[in-house]
Amino acid sequence: MKMKKFLSLCLAATMTVGVLGGCGDGGSSGGSTGGNDGGNSSGGVEEITFMVWDDLDASSDLITQGYKQSIDRFNKDYEGKYHCKVVSTNLEEYYTKLNAEVAANNTPDVFIVSPGPNLDDYVLPGTAAKLDSYLNADGWKGTFTSDAVFAGGTYGAEAKDGAGIYAVPLNIAAACVFYNTEMFEDAGAKVPKTYSELLDACKKLDAKGYTPITISAGTAWCLSMVAGYLCDRNGLNLDDVYEKKTDWYDAKVIKAGEQIQELSQYFQPTAAADDNDVATAAFYDGEAAILIQGSWAIGQINGSCEPGFEKKVGVFAFPAVDGSSADPNRVIAKSDSLAMSATSQHKDAAIALIKYFVDDTAQKYTAEVGGKIPVTKVQYDESVAPPELAYVMDVFKNANATFGFYNESLADTEAGSTFDSCFVEIFKGTDPKTALKPIQDYYEANVWK
Amino acid sequence: MDKLLRKKSYIIMFLAPAFILFTAVLIVPIITAIYYSLCDYKVNTDATFVGFQNYIDLFTKDPDFATGMKNSLFFMVFSCITQLIFGLILAALLTNIKKGRNFFKNVYYLPCVLSSAALGLMWYFVFSPKYGINKIFEGLGWLERADKGTQWLSDTSGFIILPIIVISFVALWQYVGQSMMLYMAQISGISKDIYEAASIDGCSRTQSFFRITLPLIKPMVATAMSLNAIGSLKFFDLIYSMVPESMRGKNGGAHVLATNLYEQGLRYSKYGYACAIGIVLLVMCLLVTFLINKFVKTESYDM
Amino acid sequence: MKIDVDNSMVEKDKTKRKVVKILIYALLIFLVFVYILPLLWILMSSMKDNAVFKSTPWDLPKSFNVDNYVFAWTKGKLGIATLNSFIVSTMTLIIALIVGSMAAFAIARLRFKFSKLVLTYFMIGMMIPIHCVLFSLYTQFASWKLTDSLPGLIIPYVAFSLPITIYIMVGFFESIPNELFEAAVIDGCSVPRLFTTVGLPLAKTGFMVTGLMAFVNNWNELLFATVFISDDSRKTLPVALTKFVGPHSTNYTQMFAGIVIAVIPTIIVYCIFANQIVEGLTAGAVKG
C-alpha cells in the first residue's frame, strides 16, 4: 500500500521534472541561456562568456561587486546586441576549471587571470589572444597610468603568437601589514620598521592578552606570502634560484624559515587549521592585532566589517630584516587581469566588455569603494576612498620595486604549491633544511635540467 | 513457453539499453583510462605514450601518493576491523531486545543515507578547536582556552596523524549502521530451532553466539568486509570536507588515494597521471575483494 | 528441597537478565545521543545569529532566526542546487530502474546461453571504483560539451547505479514462482506483458529498495559532481555546500543552515520509508 504512495510520489516527481524541463526549453529559446556552446547567438544577440573566481551575486567583497556592476552596465548598454554570461567558481579551483574549459575547446571569451606562471599557461600555447591591436586603437592604451602596468601581461617571442601584450590589468593590490591601532595603543606597541621591532610589538601585544598575528596555514598561500616577504627581505633573488646560481638551501631561505618559526609563537593557536577566511575574520572581528594581507582586504573590511572598524585600521610596509643589505622598500604586488580567448567568435564584444572594467566608472569604484590601486589615469575622490587606501598608496609610492607573490613567481604552478607547502611544514616545526627538501627536489627534477 | 522466452529479439530488446549504457560509460572509459595511464597527457598537450613512466613516478617519486597509500590502507584496515567488531556487537545486542529494536536500528542506520559532505562539515565544526568540543572542555574547566587545546584536524605529528584517526572514527560512526544491518539480516535468517536445540543441550546465550551465530554469518562477514574495504579505499568526501586545504594539497599529510587523484587531475590537470592513480585504486579494490573472499568466506551453511 | 534451589536459581537468573537488559538499553540510548546530538547541535546553531554562535556555540538558541536559511537558500544558491539534485537523482532513479529491471528480467527469466555471463559482466561494475573512470569520462564528456550540464551527471550516475539495480532485481525476479509465468503465457501474454504484468508488480519491494538506494547515493555523490560541474546554476547540493564558504566569508550559521537544507530531504525520505529501506536491504542482502 505504501508502494502506491511511493509510486505516485515518483510520478509527481517525473511530472515536475517534465514541467521544469519544459520551462527550461522555453527559456533557452528566449535567448538567455545557451551554456558554454561558444555563445551561439539566438535572436541576433551575441553571447560571450566571462569566467571569474568569485561568486558575483553572493560575495561581500567590494571588488567582486564592482566586477558585477561592470558586467551589468555592459549588459544594459548593449542590450539586444551583446550579452555577457558569467561562469563563476571559487578561487581554490578556478584555474582547474579554466584549464578544463580550455582542454575542451570551450575557452571562455574573457577570463580573469593573475600574471605569472598562471598567465604563462594560457599565453605560451596560444590560448590567450594578443591584445596590442585593440590597445593601440582609439588611444585606449593611453588611458592607463603607464606602460608599466602592462608588465605582467607582456610577453616576448616565447609566446606562440609572438611578442606583445596578452592581458589587461584591472587593479593593483599590494601586500601590506594591517594592524589594529587601538590594540597597538593599548599595548604600547610601536609601528615596527624592522623585524626585531615586529617581534617586540608582538611581545607587548601578547602580554596584553591580544592575539598578535592572525594568519592562515590551512590555506597555504597566506603563510607563504609572509615567507616570500621574509625571503626577499633577507636578500633572496628568485632569478638566481631559477638560474641555479643558488638553491633552496640558501642561507637566506633557511633564515626566513627560522624567522617564520620565531614569529609563529605569536600566531593564533588555530593557525594550522584556519583557512584564509577564518584567519582574516579574526582580524576583522577585533580578535587579533596584525593581519598580513593583500590590499584587497580593504574591500573586505569595508564590505563586511562592523561600521566604524575601518577607522581603527592602520597599514605599514612589511618590516626590514635587521642586518640584511636587501632593499626594504620592495612590495609584493598583484594585479587582477583580463585575458581574451584567441579562439573567441565574438572578439569585438569581448573587447567591449573588457573596456567596461577599466573605464572611469569602474576605476573610480576600484579606488573609492574597493580600495584597490587603479590602473588608469582616472581622478578619484580621495576623501571618499577608504582611509586605508591612502596608507597603501603611501606604501606603494615609497616602493622602489614590486615583486610577485612567491607562489605565482616560481617556475610553474606546481613549484608554487610546493613552496607553499614547505613553509607550512616549517611553520609546524620541521627543521627548515629538512622541510625545504621537496622544493629543492622539485627544482632538481623539473627546473634545473 | 520455452520458445517464447528464448526469442532472440526480446532478449536483445531487454538487455540492449543496459548493456550499451554500461559498456559505454563504464567499460570503455576504463579501457581508455588504462591507455591514458600509460601516456603523458596534460591539459594543454595531447596524449603521448610513455609506457609505465607514470606508475614508476607514482611509486618512486611521489611523496603525496605514498602518504595517500599509507592513509588509505590505514582506513581500510581500521574500518574492516572496527566495523566487524562494532557491527556485530550492535547486531547481537539488537537481536536480543524486543522493545524499540526498530527505533535503535533506524537511528544507527540514519547517517548511512545522509550526505558525507554535509556530515563532514558538521564534524568539522564539532572538532573545530574554537567552537567545537574543545569549547565544552573549556566550559567544564578541563581546558584553559579552547583554541589552545587539541588541534583535532590539523595536528601532523605521528605516523598516522590525528586528523586521519579522527576521520576514521567519524567514518565508523557513519557506516557502522550498514554492517549492523547486514549482520542482523543474516542473524534473523538463522532458524530458531537451532538455538532452541542448543539451549536444551545446555548452551548459554553467549556460547550460542560464538558457536552458532558467528559460524553461520561468516559468508556475510566476507560481504560486509569487502564493502567496507572498497568503501574506505574510495574514501573522499569526509577528507575533502574536514581537513584544511593545505593538508590535502601539495605535501599534505592527510592525503588519501582519492584526494591524490583529485589533486593531480584537477589542480595540475595531469590527466594521464591521475588515470594511473585511478587504475592503482581499481587493482587494489579487485585484489582486496579477491583476498577477503578467499580467506574469510567459507562454504555457506544451509539455513 | 530440590525445587527450592531451582526457584532461587531461576530468580537469580531473572535478576541477572534484568541487569543485563538495563545495561544493554543504557548503552543503546547512549549511542542514540552520539548519533543525534551533533545533528541537533547543527540544527540549533543554524537558528542563531553568527555573532551569538561565535561567543556561545553550545548554548540553546534564544529565538528562531530564519535569515540564515533565506540566505543559504537564495544567495548561497542552495535552492537551485536542491532543485538540481532533485532532478539528477529522480531522473537517474527512473532511468536506472527501467533500464536495470529490464536487463534483470532478461537475465532472470528469459532463456539464453550466456545469461550467467551477462550477469557477471554487469557485476564487474560493483567492484569498479568510479574514481578510475573519472578523468577519462571527464575529458570525453568535455569534448562532447556534456560537462557543466545535468545530463552529463545523469548518464554516469545511471551507469553506476545499474550493477546494484540489476543484482538486486535479478534476485527478486528469480524468486517469483515459475507457475505464475506459465499461467500468464497460457493466457497468451507476450514477453513485454509478462514483464509489466507479472514481473514488475511482484518485484515491487525490489523496486523500492533499488530506487531508494539509487536516489540516496546520487543525492549524496560529491566527487563526480565537483569535477563535472563548475557552473553555479548547475551545481548539486553536496557541491554547492562544500563551496558554500565562498571567498572571504565566515558566516558559520548560514553554513549550518546549508547543512540542514542538505540533509533534511534525505531524513524525511528516510523517516517515511525507514522500515521499507531496512526490510528491502535485508531482503536484498540475504538474497546475495
Side-chain angles (χ1 to χ4, degrees), chain C residues 2-272:
Chain C
K2 204 181 162 205
I3 294 164
D4 276 358
V5 172
D6 264 357
N7 263 348
S8 74
M9 283 274 283
V10 169
E11 279 299 305
K12 226 178 166 183
D13 209 37
K14 257 189 180 167
T15 41
K16 200 180 137 199
R17 273 200 184 166
K18 231 178 198 167
V19 171
V20 169
K21 213 150 233 180
I22 289 169
L23 280 177
I24 289 179
Y25 272 105
L27 179 70
L28 291 175
I29 289 167
F30 169 74
L31 280 177
V32 167
F33 279 107
V34 173
Y35 274 83
I36 299 297
L37 263 188
L39 289 165
L40 274 183
W41 181 55
I42 292 294
L43 180 68
M44 283 183 339
S45 305
S46 72
M47 297 167 190
K48 288 180 180 171
D49 185 66
N50 202 37
V52 174
F53 169 77
K54 278 185 171 179
S55 55
T56 52
W58 288 90
D59 292 9
L60 288 169
K62 299 217 162 46
S63 62
F64 181 77
N65 184 348
V66 287
D67 293 354
N68 293 325
Y69 285 89
V70 174
F71 183 94
W73 187 261
T74 54
K75 285 213 163 168
K77 299 200 171 149
L78 290 186
I80 183 90
T82 309
L83 181 69
N84 287 337
S85 274
F86 189 76
I87 295 174
V88 169
S89 311
T90 318
M91 291 303 289
T92 306
L93 172 149
I94 293 167
I95 302 174
L97 280 189
I98 295 173
V99 174
S101 61
M102 279 166 63
F105 184 76
I107 292 168
R109 282 295 162 182
L110 300 184
R111 293 179 192 166
F112 55 105
K113 238 193 236 158
F114 302 114
S115 64
K116 273 272 160 335
L117 196 67
V118 172
L119 182 63
T120 318
Y121 179 67
F122 283 119
M123 287 313 97
I124 296 173
M126 291 222 281
M127 281 179 285
I128 293 176
I130 59 174
H131 307 51
C132 71
V133 297
L134 181 60
F135 287 104
S136 47
L137 260 190
Y138 178 65
T139 47
Q140 185 63 68
F141 274 35
S143 70
W144 288 339
K145 310 216 185 289
L146 270 174
T147 50
D148 262 335
S149 75
L150 297 186
L153 272 186
I154 294 171
I155 296 169
Y157 283 178
V158 170
F160 303 142
S161 308
L162 277 180
I164 187 76
T165 310
I166 293 176
Y167 175 69
I168 294 182
M169 290 309 288
V170 164
F172 277 96
F173 285 132
E174 274 176 349
S175 70
I176 299 172
N178 218 7
E179 295 77 35
L180 288 174
F181 285 102
E182 273 165 15
V185 171
I186 291 163
D187 286 350
C189 257
S190 65
V191 172
R193 294 230 19 195
L194 270 186
F195 174 63
T196 50
T197 56
V198 184
L200 289 190
L202 288 172
K204 54 187 178 185
T205 325
F207 250 72
M208 187 84 181
V209 183
T210 48
L212 283 167
M213 274 167 71
F215 188 87
V216 164
N217 284 340
N218 297 317
W219 183 270
N220 295 335
E221 206 284 329
L222 175 67
L223 181 62
F224 251 75
T226 350
V227 174
F228 273 49
I229 307 279
S230 52
D231 186 347
D232 272 341
S233 62
R234 304 222 166 76
K235 279 180 178 161
T236 56
L237 256 181
V239 186
L241 193 63
T242 49
K243 301 283 179 281
F244 185 73
V245 200
H248 329 307
S249 72
T250 41
N251 283 316
Y252 302 131
T253 50
Q254 292 167 355
M255 174 110 189
F256 295 149
I259 297 176
V260 174
I261 291 176
V263 298
I264 280 289
T266 16
I267 292 187
I268 292 176
V269 171
Y270 184 72
C271 285
I272 300 173

Side-chain angles (χ1 to χ4, degrees), chain A residues 41-168:
Chain A
S41 51
S42 48
V45 179
E46 283 186 43
E47 183 168 271
I48 53 171
T49 47
F50 168 61
M51 195 152 160
V52 62
W53 50 44
D54 197 357
D55 183 336
L56 297 191
D57 293 321
S59 177
S60 60
D61 184 313
L62 294 173
I63 285 288
T64 305
Q65 289 176 16
Y67 294 161
K68 182 174 165 50
Q69 288 176 16
S70 294
I71 293 165
D72 288 347
R73 283 191 295 124
F74 170 83
N75 281 338
K76 191 160 165 270
D77 293 353
Y78 283 105
E79 204 177 343
K81 191 171 178 213
Y82 302 145
H83 185 267
C84 171
K85 177 183 182 286
V86 180
V87 179
S88 60
T89 72
N90 63 352
L91 194 56
E92 187 193 329
E93 59 175 7
Y94 176 72
Y95 289 108
T96 308
K97 293 291 185 181
L98 182 55
N99 285 342
E101 297 289 316
V102 172
N105 288 323
N106 254 347
T107 316
D109 297 281
V110 181
F111 52 94
I112 201 162
V113 66
S114 291
N118 285 317
L119 183 56
D120 295 352
D121 289 348
Y122 308 108
V123 172
L124 302 185
T127 310
K130 195 154 98 174
L131 302 171
D132 293 74
S133 58
Y134 304 99
L135 281 163
N136 291 329
D138 306 327
W140 187 21
K141 203 175 173 189
T143 62
F144 289 87
T145 346
S146 68
D147 285 357
V149 295
F150 291 104
T154 306
Y155 283 77
E158 71 275 17
K160 193 182 162 202
D161 297 336
I165 296 172
Y166 286 86
V168 176

